[in-house]
Amino acid sequence: MTLDALIARLLKIESLHAGATTDGERVASEAARTRILERIAALDEEEIEMRFTLHSRWSQQLFTALARRYGLEPFRYRRQHATSLMLKIKQRFLDDTFWPQFQELNAELAKHLDEVATTVIEAAVHRDLSEAPERAAPKQLALPVS
């Protein structure tokens, strides 16, 4: 998948989560973002503080960018692990829009990055990327009982 195709796919995912009916790329994406922001403002509930644990640096960057896109401010408390991100967010927005959208975007990005890594490793290092075979563990010597 080309970079342009990946970007178009990611924009389409956002449009789907916003309930977009048009298919103009940037226009639909901005309209989707606007609809999502309006939906957040219309929610009549208090924000909750949530902790997310994201092990991949790519996932952390995507999460942070998506949160900021919707006017949210991800943060980390002092001494929290680098894999932890905090977010104050309305529960319904988290459940209905933000988290499903993040998961779908993250899966698409991970798939693309995996394809790129595989291509580079095959071209630059070695073509055989099959799993290492399993072997039986070496036999252990019996210890004398004293």
Side-chain angles (χ1 to χ4, degrees), residues 116-135:
V116 169
T118 299
T119 302
V120 170
I121 293 168
E122 283 178 344
V125 181
H126 197 275
R127 295 197 73 67
D128 184 9
L129 299 182
S130 61
E131 291 289 321
E134 274 190 30
R135 294 184 180 170

Side-chain angles (χ1 to χ4, degrees), residues 12-139:
K12 229 178 244 184
I13 289 170
E14 181 178 38
S15 295
L16 288 172
H17 284 277
T21 56
T22 61
D23 208 18
E25 289 178 4
R26 294 241 183 250
V27 175
S29 175
E30 190 54 37
R33 180 179 172 273
T34 302
R35 277 192 300 281
I36 289 173
L37 290 172
E38 289 169 356
R39 205 180 314 163
I40 294 170
L43 291 175
D44 188 26
E45 62 182 50
E46 290 294 315
E47 290 183 334
I48 57 170
E49 186 173 279
M50 295 288 296
R51 181 176 59 89
F52 299 87
T53 302
L54 303 166
H55 296 284
S56 156
R57 182 72 186 133
W58 305 110
S59 296
Q60 291 173 356
Q61 289 176 339
L62 175 63
F63 182 92
T64 301
L66 187 62
R68 289 178 178 154
R69 179 164 176 78
Y70 296 125
L72 303 171
E73 296 181 28
F75 62 96
R76 185 178 292 116
Y77 286 114
R78 271 191 196 93
R79 297 189 195 143
Q80 270 189 316
H81 290 277
T83 57
S84 295
L85 283 168
M86 303 297 293
L87 194 61
K88 290 186 179 185
I89 189 169
K90 294 180 180 183
Q91 184 73 50
R92 269 192 39 216
F93 176 63
L94 174 67
D95 294 340
D96 297 346
T97 304
F98 184 84
W99 190 245
Q101 185 179 356
F102 169 75
Q103 288 181 310
E104 202 169 338
L105 289 168
N106 194 45
E108 194 67 34
L109 185 61
K111 182 176 132 187
H112 179 73
L113 293 173
D114 187 51
E115 289 171 6
V116 169
T118 299
T119 302
V120 170
I121 293 168
E122 283 178 344
V125 181
H126 197 275
R127 295 197 73 67
D128 184 9
L129 299 182
S130 61
E131 291 289 321
E134 274 190 30
R135 294 184 180 170
K139 293 185 178 184

